[in-house]
Amino acid sequence: MNNNCIFCRIIAGEIPAAKLYEDEDMIIIRDINPMAKVHLLLIPKEHYADIIEMTEAQSVTLARCLKKLSTLTDTLGLAEGFRLVSNKGQNGRQSVGHLHIHIIGGEKLSENMA
Ligand code: 5GP
Ligand code: ZN
């Protein structure tokens, strides 16, 4: 756990969040500033900055998280489809340095991804 990391503190229960799912690998919460009708964050529990820093073992865990997500789409309001985004670095406008995947859906999204 990184005490300076807002997502580590959410995972530890120190900061409240709308937690929709949790297991030993990850949490799924509602983004505090939603960009679409459904805007969730899949956050692995282990702290690392992004996919560039990710180890082989962490990539296996992330794959398991994504597989699990595939079983949760109905309950998360994503049955009609969704978009996954992971921002990296300054150009990607990453604002929290703990790997997370945005899950955006609940409506027809814009074609513009930039
Ligand atoms: P990034 O900009 O790093 O790709 O995404 C960080 C996301 O975390 C943003 O969409 C932002 O709204 C969300 N966020 C930041 N702080 C909090 C918080 O305290 N709680 C929740 N639920 N989301 C947060
Ligand atoms: Zn963290």
Side-chain angles (χ1 to χ4, degrees):
M1 153 146 191
N2 178 334
N3 285 314
N4 298 318
C5 170
I6 194 157
F7 288 167
C8 281
R9 297 187 65 199
I10 287 173
I11 289 161
E14 292 176 11
I15 294 175
K19 210 181 278 180
L20 302 182
Y21 177 79
E22 177 168 19
D23 64 22
E24 65 275 22
D25 293 325
M26 64 161 164
I27 58 170
I28 297 177
I29 63 172
R30 286 197 194 282
D31 196 294
I32 208 167
N33 182 25
M35 302 280 180
K37 281 191 182 151
V38 177
H39 185 170
L40 313 177
L41 299 170
L42 185 164
I43 311 175
K45 287 187 170 175
E46 207 177 328
H47 179 96
Y48 56 99
D50 53 53
I51 60 158
I52 304 296
E53 278 198 10
M54 182 168 64
T55 64
E56 194 76 29
Q58 287 163 343
S59 76
V60 171
T61 303
L62 183 61
R64 197 160 57 233
C65 293
L66 293 172
K67 187 65 199 148
K68 186 71 198 186
L69 174 64
S70 75
T71 70
L72 299 172
T73 52
D74 285 6
T75 52
L76 294 175
L78 300 165
E80 305 301 318
F82 53 90
R83 181 175 291 159
L84 301 183
V85 173
S86 191
N87 297 325
K88 153 70 183 159
Q90 270 190 334
N91 277 7
R93 292 188 179 268
Q94 181 177 12
S95 62
V96 178
H98 178 137
L99 182 90
H100 53 284
I101 313 273
H102 295 261
I103 308 165
I104 306 159
E107 61 184 309
K108 188 112 177 177
L109 301 175
S110 159
E111 286 182 357
N112 184 357
M113 295 216 283

